[in-house]
Amino acid sequence: MAYIDYYKILGVDKNATQDEIKKAYRKRARKLHPDLNPDDKDAEKQFKELNEANEVLSNAENRKKYDKYGENWKHGEEYEKAQRQQRQSQSQNYGGGYSGADFGEGEDFSDFFQNMFGGNGGGGFGRSSRGSASGKFKGQDVQAELTLNLRDAAKTHPQTFEINGKKVRITIPGGVYDGQQIKLKGHGNPGFNGGPNGDLYVTFSIPADPDFERIGDDLKTKVAIDLYTAVLGGDVKVNTLDGSVNLKVKPETQSGTTVRLKGKGFPVYKKEGQFGDLFVTYEVKLPVNLTDKQKELFEQLKNS
C-alpha cells in the first residue's frame, strides 16, 4: 500500500511541535483554499490532502498511531487486537484462523492491512473451522469538511449535510475556528462482523472574510474617515458582527489610530456570554479634486 507522508504534505519534519503544525497548515490552507483557486483541480486535490494531514497530525493520539502504522493508522488498534486473539487462539489449540488474513507473530502489519482492507481475500475476516466469529472490528472513520463563512461561525445554529447517503444534523456552537475538528460517534462506515460503526470527523473550513480579520477571539477591521473628521472630530459608523455602532472620532486623530470596542469581537467557543474585542483602525482619506479656493485655504494653513 502506498505510503502517504503527511509531514511532507504540511512541510514540517517529524519532530515538529503542535504549534508548528498548526502554523504550517494555516499558511498552506490560505494558498490552496478552493475559494482562491476556482476550477483548479490540482489545488483542490492538494487542499484535501492538506486537510487530511492536518486532521491526523494535529491530534496527538492519531499522530502517535500514524507514526507507528503509517497510512493504516486508523486500524492500528484492530491489528493489535487481532494479534492478541491469534496468539490466544493458538494457545488454546483452536486451529483454524483468519480467512485471507492469517498471520503469525513475526508477520509485518502492512501485509495484514493489505489482506484485511485491501484487494486480497475479500477484504474481511472469515470464520474459523468451528464456525464462530473470528472477531468484531470497528468500521472505518469518515472525514468530512464543512465550509462556514465568518458570520455563520460566530453563531450557534443547526446544520444538515449528507454522508454516505445518510443525512446528519448537528448543532454548530458559535466560536468554532478554521481547521477545528469535531467527532460524531457512530456516523462512519459500517463495522466488520457486527462490530460498531466508525466515527465521522467533521473539519470546519472558514475562508478569510472581506471585512474582518480574526485573531483568536478578537476581530480587526479598518474604517475610512475623511480629512475633515480626522482634524475636527466627528462621528463615524462602524460595522460589527451584530450590527453597526456609531463611534466618536477625537479631533486631530492620526491615520492608523486604533480603538477597541470591548465585547464586540468573536464569541468564545462553548463559553456562553463571553466575547473577544473588536479593534477598529482609522484610515484617513485625503480629499481629491480640490477647487482653487480650497487649495488656497490649504496654502494659508501651510504658511500659518
Side-chain angles (χ1 to χ4, degrees), residues 82 85-87 89-90 93-104 124-135 193:
Q85 291 177 337
Q86 175 72 358
R87 289 195 297 267
S89 176
Q90 289 173 343
N93 298 317
Y94 273 176
Y98 295 116
S99 174
D102 194 16
F103 57 93
F125 281 128
R127 294 180 176 271
S128 70
S129 58
R130 294 186 175 224
S132 62
S134 55
N193 288 342

Side-chain angles (χ1 to χ4, degrees), residues 211-213 220-224 238 278-283:
D211 300 319
F212 300 100
E213 178 187 0
K220 288 185 176 181
T221 191
K222 295 179 181 179
V223 175
V238 177
L278 172 62
F279 292 85
V280 181
T281 299
Y282 294 129
E283 291 185 331

Side-chain angles (χ1 to χ4, degrees), residues 8-148:
K8 185 176 181 181
I9 290 174
L10 282 169
V12 298
D13 61 43
K14 290 189 176 182
N15 296 319
T17 65
Q18 288 297 310
D19 188 53
E20 289 171 339
I21 288 173
K22 182 187 294 185
K23 288 180 179 178
Y25 166 73
R26 289 181 174 176
K27 181 178 180 181
R28 287 190 55 76
R30 282 194 290 267
K31 293 181 180 179
L32 296 172
H33 198 281
D35 288 350
L36 301 179
N37 300 275
D39 302 321
D40 188 335
K41 296 298 182 182
D42 185 56
E44 181 181 352
K45 178 183 177 183
Q46 291 184 57
F47 186 71
K48 289 180 179 178
E49 291 177 344
L50 182 69
N51 275 299
E52 181 180 334
N54 181 63
E55 287 162 9
V56 176
L57 298 186
S58 63
N59 182 296
E61 184 179 345
N62 289 344
R63 182 180 180 182
K64 184 177 179 181
K65 293 178 184 177
Y66 172 75
D67 288 341
K68 184 175 182 180
Y69 295 107
E71 68 173 12
N72 298 300
W73 65 272
K74 294 178 184 178
H75 301 288
E77 292 179 355
E78 296 166 8
Y79 165 72
E80 292 177 348
K81 180 180 178 181
Q83 268 198 326
R84 290 194 297 270
Q85 291 177 337
Q86 175 72 358
R87 289 195 297 267
Q88 194 175 47
S89 176
Q90 289 173 343
S91 67
Q92 294 173 352
N93 298 317
Y94 273 176
Y98 295 116
S99 174
D102 194 16
F103 57 93
E105 188 70 38
E107 183 172 357
D108 192 293
F109 63 78
S110 61
D111 296 328
F112 165 77
F113 284 123
Q114 180 64 25
N115 290 332
M116 177 66 178
F117 304 107
N120 298 338
F125 281 128
R127 294 180 176 271
S128 70
S129 58
R130 294 186 175 224
S132 62
S134 55
K136 295 181 179 180
F137 293 90
K138 180 182 176 182
Q140 283 187 311
D141 294 336
V142 175
Q143 307 286 343
E145 181 181 301
L146 188 58
T147 300
L148 302 172

Side-chain angles (χ1 to χ4, degrees), residues 136-206:
K136 295 181 179 180
F137 293 90
K138 180 182 176 182
Q140 283 187 311
D141 294 336
V142 175
Q143 307 286 343
E145 181 181 301
L146 188 58
T147 300
L148 302 172
N149 62 46
L150 189 70
R151 288 163 176 79
D152 283 340
K155 58 188 179 184
T156 299
H157 67 284
Q159 186 93 21
T160 302
F161 54 96
E162 191 170 299
I163 294 291
N164 292 338
K166 297 185 299 182
K167 286 189 175 180
V168 179
R169 180 183 174 87
I170 63 174
T171 297
I172 301 173
V176 295
Y177 55 84
D178 183 48
Q180 183 174 354
Q181 185 182 83
I182 63 172
K183 181 176 81 170
L184 302 178
K185 191 173 182 179
H187 285 279
N189 289 334
F192 299 92
N193 288 342
N197 290 348
D199 301 322
L200 170 62
Y201 289 86
V202 180
T203 300
F204 295 108
S205 174
I206 305 174

